[in-house]
Amino acid sequence: QGFPMMQGVLANHRVRILFSKGMKCYRPRREGQKKRKSVRGCIVGPDLAVLNFVLVKKGPEDIPGLTDGEKPRRLGPKRASHIRKLFNLTKEDDVRQFVIHRKVGEKRKAPKIQRLVTATRIQRKKRLR
């Protein structure tokens, strides 16, 4: 239902808490402002539809379907400087040769490279001055 889970609230349902400055899930708009807001307790139950979390440390055993396999990134970088960084290219190297293509049916698609310095771009920049 869109309510954030709050650490330290030992319940598996919604609770209304009085928030003040420095507390999680709240940012006061005025000096000394307090506000009563709804948050969900930190106990996980079967009524949750989605649970977002970050793996901080991997344990001794794999979790099936989560940490047991490698999942490559679907898309490669689109910005010219990011492509250079990925392949350790210099300014003289042609970035267009290193774009990562992806397969769509029988075709191969590549993104349009952003912030690519070309001869036309330099020419336009000179004309503006």
Side-chain angles (χ1 to χ4, degrees):
Q1 291 146 353
F3 293 98
M5 291 177 88
M6 189 170 173
Q7 210 168 4
V9 180
L10 299 174
N12 60 352
H13 51 83
R14 252 185 284 164
V15 181
R16 287 182 60 81
I17 296 177
L18 186 65
F19 285 88
S20 60
K21 186 182 178 208
M23 293 177 76
K24 297 261 192 245
C25 309
Y26 178 65
R27 183 171 59 95
R29 305 297 196 263
R30 307 179 101 184
E31 193 67 35
Q33 182 182 11
K34 292 183 179 183
K35 193 173 191 177
R36 193 171 297 279
K37 286 181 71 179
S38 289
V39 289
R40 193 188 190 283
C42 64
I43 297 174
V44 177
D47 56 328
L48 287 175
V50 176
L51 186 65
N52 294 324
F53 63 93
V54 176
L55 289 175
V56 179
K57 188 179 177 185
K58 191 177 174 186
E61 293 182 30
D62 284 332
I63 301 168
L66 190 65
T67 59
D68 57 352
E70 287 282 323
K71 190 176 180 187
R73 290 182 60 183
R74 198 176 77 84
L75 300 173
K78 184 179 169 91
R79 190 184 297 177
S81 61
H82 292 181
I83 297 168
R84 278 194 194 97
K85 185 179 170 186
L86 180 67
F87 293 105
N88 292 327
L89 304 175
T90 61
K91 291 253 184 187
E92 288 74 43
D93 293 325
D94 188 18
V95 177
R96 290 171 288 196
Q97 306 299 321
F98 294 89
V99 178
I100 298 172
H101 293 72
R102 61 186 171 93
K103 270 190 161 182
V104 179
E106 292 177 20
K107 288 186 179 180
R108 287 182 63 203
K109 285 183 134 187
K112 181 178 177 281
I113 304 170
Q114 301 295 309
R115 300 190 190 179
L116 182 65
V117 180
T118 58
T120 353
R121 199 162 165 190
I122 293 167
Q123 190 177 9
R124 284 191 190 127
K125 195 173 182 182
K126 282 181 183 176
R127 251 187 117 175
L128 286 171
R129 287 183 185 172

